[in-house]
Amino acid sequence: MNRAAGAFTVRAPASSANLGPGFDSLGLSVPLHTTLRVTPQATTEIVPLGEELRDTPADESNYLYRAMELAARRAGRPLPPARIEIETEVPLARGLGSSAAALVAGIVAGNELLGRPLDQETVLDVAAREEGHPDNVAPALFGGIVVATLDKLGTHYVRLDPPAHLGVTVLIPDFELSTSKARAVLPKEYSRADAVHALSHAALLAAALSVGRLDLLRHAMQDYIHQVWRAPLVPGLSDILEHAHRHGALGAALSGAGPTVLCFHDQREPTERLHTYLRDVLHRSGLTGRVLDLPIDTQGTVVTPA
């Protein structure tokens, strides 16, 4: 159906990437959303709304509008003018895929405005190539848990429905950490032992999630590729990675580049003890922040007529 003549809304979820050893290849989506309301009109108008977006450009240099243009370029067609209102619940620079949510929402909105010339796999490939890796954009687009790779032939993925009873607890500190800064601390080379450790644990994590082996998550989420190097940038991270399982977590990981930390929990069990522990880590680290329980989003990016 071609919606190019009418207004529509696009809603893309936040995401948590890596989940420990799945560096740049594994992620899941959570229900904090970036929302666009697109109304075709004679001229282009960009309208960021809300406190989170107060410093973002209100013109065509806006990242989200440039994402819409990516869809137009892949389709080989000009982007029709429209009024684009932007809101987000995703905290910026916190490791919850704010840029990926904006990127995916923009590409999907551009594709919708053009009448959907691009299929979902092409939308994913456009987003992954722009981002440089698919670990956030794939779950933002498809929802659930996604294992994905990017190579010269395309972007390839497997989407998994979340295991029964698997929930997410996130600790979101009140400070920003840019992805570029978090990547700058990573070594350029790794030992064979570290490579084998990463491959084996990423494979075990993907397998455990695919068959619902929640008992294996604590072991499968161990990582030497990025978390150990980023720990000095995130006070309390090492403590959580080592001790969260003693307070009800099934496993713990730095969310993306951080500083948010993700813990898996069993939804059949109360999370008060885990929340108390995470808040105590914040306090001992001299930080403030918030702790949230979230389900894993299974819808991904949704388009609805306005």
Side-chain angles (χ1 to χ4, degrees), residues 142-261:
F142 296 120
I145 300 167
V146 184
V147 185
T149 63
L150 171 65
D151 58 35
K152 63 183 181 181
L153 298 179
T155 306
H156 318 283
Y157 71 95
V158 172
R159 182 195 178 278
L160 306 174
D161 284 323
H165 312 301
L166 183 65
V168 169
T169 298
V170 288
L171 169 60
I172 309 173
D174 290 329
F175 71 92
E176 296 185 358
L177 177 59
S178 70
T179 300
S180 59
K181 183 176 180 180
R183 284 190 177 265
V185 301
L186 301 182
K188 290 183 170 58
E189 296 180 350
Y190 295 92
S191 69
R192 180 186 298 177
D194 283 350
V196 170
H197 183 281
L199 290 167
S200 61
H201 284 77
L204 180 63
L205 179 56
L209 290 169
S210 69
V211 299
R213 286 290 304 273
L214 304 187
D215 59 303
L216 290 175
L217 296 181
R218 173 190 162 195
H219 309 288
M221 292 171 75
Q222 295 179 51
D223 164 73
Y224 296 153
I225 293 294
H226 70 107
Q227 293 181 155
V228 65
W229 305 100
R230 289 169 167 171
L233 302 177
V234 183
L237 174 62
S238 296
D239 188 330
I240 295 170
L241 295 179
E242 185 173 352
H243 299 299
H245 70 278
R246 298 177 181 173
H247 303 272
L250 295 170
L254 185 65
S255 180
T260 293
V261 181

Side-chain angles (χ1 to χ4, degrees), residues 5 43 83 87 94 103 105 120 128-129 131 146 153 167 171 175 185 192-193 242 246 267-268 274:
T43 59
R83 176 183 170 90
E87 292 184 280
R94 296 293 204 284
L103 178 63
Q120 289 284 76
R129 293 190 185 284
E131 186 95 331
V146 184
L153 298 179
L171 169 60
F175 71 92
V185 301
R192 180 186 298 177
E242 185 173 352
R246 298 177 181 173
Q267 293 176 323
R268 294 167 295 187
L274 179 58

